[in-house]
Amino acid sequence: MFTFRSFGFGILISCYVVPTLSAQDDRPTDEWLTKPVDDQTFATYLEFFAYETDLPLNRVVLESSEEDGLIEEKLAFQSTPGQIVTARVFRPRVTGAEEQGGVVYIHSGGPSGKDAGSSLAFCRLMARAGWTVLAFDLLHFGERNAGLLDTYGAREKADRLYNQPSTYLEFVTQTVKDVGRSYDLLVLEYDVDPDRVALVGYSRGAQMSMIAGGAEKRLAAVALMHGGHFDRFENGHRPAACGANYIGRINPRPLLMINGEADTDYLPDTAVRPLQKLLGESTTIRWTGAGHGMISEEDRTVLVDWLRMAVPQ
C-alpha cells in the first residue's frame, strides 16, 4: 500500500493496488467531465433550485425517543408546494444555549431511504460525535415513493429514473431544494449554527451531494462517500443534472471523497478520477481497496475527524 498525506485540508490519498476493471473502458462519458460549463451558464442552473424562503416549514414530529443521551425524531416538513419531506433528526442531549454544528445527510439509492441500516448507523455516529444530523428521504425513495420504482434494482432505477433526462432533472432539482430546506430546518428549529452545517452523501446520495454542495453555498463543507459521475447502468444526463458542473464549485470549502478501488458501481477510472481532476486544494481524497458501499471503521473515523476540522464543535 502506498500512502500520501498532507495536513489541513490538503490532499490525503490512500492507495491499494488492484487489477483495473476492463469494463471501465466501455463506459459512457460526457463533455463536462473535461470542460465544465462556464460561470454564465452555471448561473442559469441555479434558477432551477430557487425556492420560496418564506414558505412555512410546517414541521410535524411524528415520533420521538431518547437512548443513551441521543435524541431521535421522526418528522415531516414542507419543502416546496406539494412536496412533504419525510426525515429523521438525531441530536445529542446538551445543556445551555450555545448553537451546535449540523449535518444534512443524503442516503443511498435503496428502498428504505433514510431508514436503511447504513443511514441510521452513519447518522448516529455523527450525532454521538456532537452534531445535530438531519437525514431525509429522496424523492421516489423511502416514505416518498409514489410508485415510480417497484423493485429498486439497479437496472430499474436506471431505466425509470437515472436515464430519463426530464425525470432525473426534476429529481435533482427537488433534491437540491430539499437540502436547502433541511438546512433551514436545522437552523430555525434546532438552533444549529448557520455557519457550521455540512452535507454528507453516501452512494447515490454522494452523487446528489456534489450537485447540492456546488449549488448551495451556505453549506460549510461536503463529504462524498462512494459516489461518482455515472453509476453502472447510467448512460447520460442533462448538463444541469451533471455533477461535473458542480463539484469544482465546492472549492474553497472543505471537501472529502472516500472511494473504493474495487467499486463496480461507480468505476474508479471513469466515474471518480475524472471528477477529482476538477477539484481544488481544499479536498481530502481517500482511496481504499473496498467494493461499492463497503465503509470500514477506519473510514468512519476519517469522516468524523474530517468533520471536526471542517465544521468544528
Side-chain angles (χ1 to χ4, degrees):
M1 181 182 73
F2 166 79
T3 301
F4 168 81
R5 292 173 182 264
S6 69
F7 297 96
F9 292 125
I11 303 297
L12 176 153
I13 305 177
S14 298
C15 294
Y16 292 75
V17 179
V18 296
T20 301
L21 297 171
S22 60
Q24 297 188 122
D25 297 333
D26 301 326
R27 292 296 299 135
T29 184
D30 61 44
E31 61 185 283
W32 307 295
L33 270 173
T34 55
K35 188 179 180 182
V37 298
D38 59 29
D39 292 346
Q40 185 175 1
T41 302
F42 181 77
T44 66
Y45 299 164
L46 297 181
E47 297 174 7
F48 288 114
F49 311 129
Y51 60 83
E52 299 176 44
T53 57
D54 58 350
L55 185 71
L57 288 162
N58 291 332
R59 177 184 63 139
V60 177
V61 177
L62 305 172
E63 298 176 11
S64 181
S65 64
E66 181 177 354
E67 184 175 352
D68 298 329
L70 190 66
I71 300 171
E72 298 188 18
E73 296 176 348
K74 186 176 181 179
L75 63 142
F77 65 93
Q78 182 173 228
S79 177
T80 55
Q83 284 292 335
I84 302 299
V85 173
T86 47
R88 287 184 181 271
V89 168
F90 307 76
R91 55 194 173 99
R93 176 170 289 284
V94 295
T95 58
E98 184 177 352
E99 292 177 326
Q100 302 296 305
V103 174
V104 177
Y105 176 84
I106 307 183
H107 62 78
S108 64
S112 300
K114 69 184 185 312
D115 297 322
S118 59
S119 296
L120 297 174
F122 274 126
C123 293
R124 288 168 180 158
L125 170 73
M126 293 184 288
R128 292 191 185 284
W131 292 277
T132 297
V133 183
L134 186 151
F136 66 89
D137 281 322
L138 289 166
L139 181 64
H140 306 307
F141 292 84
E143 295 179 280
R144 294 177 73 187
N145 180 27
L148 179 69
L149 301 173
D150 297 321
T151 67
Y152 287 88
R155 180 71 73 178
E156 182 200 49
K157 288 185 290 187
D159 291 344
R160 296 188 181 183
L161 178 56
Y162 304 151
N163 292 334
Q164 296 294 324
S166 296
T167 303
Y168 188 62
L169 179 58
E170 178 187 24
F171 170 71
V172 168
T173 299
Q174 187 62 50
T175 298
V176 176
K177 292 179 181 180
D178 293 343
V179 169
R181 294 287 275 175
S182 296
Y183 173 100
D184 295 340
L185 190 73
L186 286 174
V187 171
L188 296 174
E189 303 282 353
Y190 291 95
D191 297 323
V192 167
D193 185 342
D195 295 325
R196 289 189 290 147
V197 181
L199 177 64
V200 177
Y202 176 55
S203 187
R204 178 59 53 169
Q207 191 169 346
M208 293 297 98
S209 292
M210 65 183 70
I211 298 175
E216 178 52 85
K217 297 298 186 181
R218 295 178 298 174
L219 296 165
V222 180
L224 312 175
M225 299 181 293
H226 286 229
H229 179 250
F230 282 155
D231 76 4
R232 179 171 38 157
F233 296 115
E234 209 166 348
N235 58 30
H237 39 220
R238 291 178 175 172
C242 178
N245 288 322
Y246 295 85
I247 192 168
R249 297 175 186 273
I250 296 172
N251 192 63
R253 292 168 292 161
L255 171 64
L256 170 68
M257 290 189 73
I258 298 178
N259 288 93
E261 289 281 11
D263 194 330
T264 57
D265 194 16
Y266 289 103
L267 300 177
D269 287 342
T270 57
V272 182
R273 287 191 174 91
L275 283 173
Q276 292 176 345
K277 293 179 181 179
L278 304 174
L279 304 179
E281 295 180 355
S282 61
T283 304
T284 299
I285 294 173
R286 174 176 169 80
W287 282 102
T288 75
H292 184 70
M294 298 173 64
I295 303 294
S296 68
E297 193 63 36
E298 185 178 356
D299 295 333
R300 293 181 176 90
T301 299
V302 168
L303 172 64
V304 170
D305 289 346
W306 176 85
L307 280 170
R308 286 181 175 137
M309 290 189 296
V311 282
Q313 296 300 320

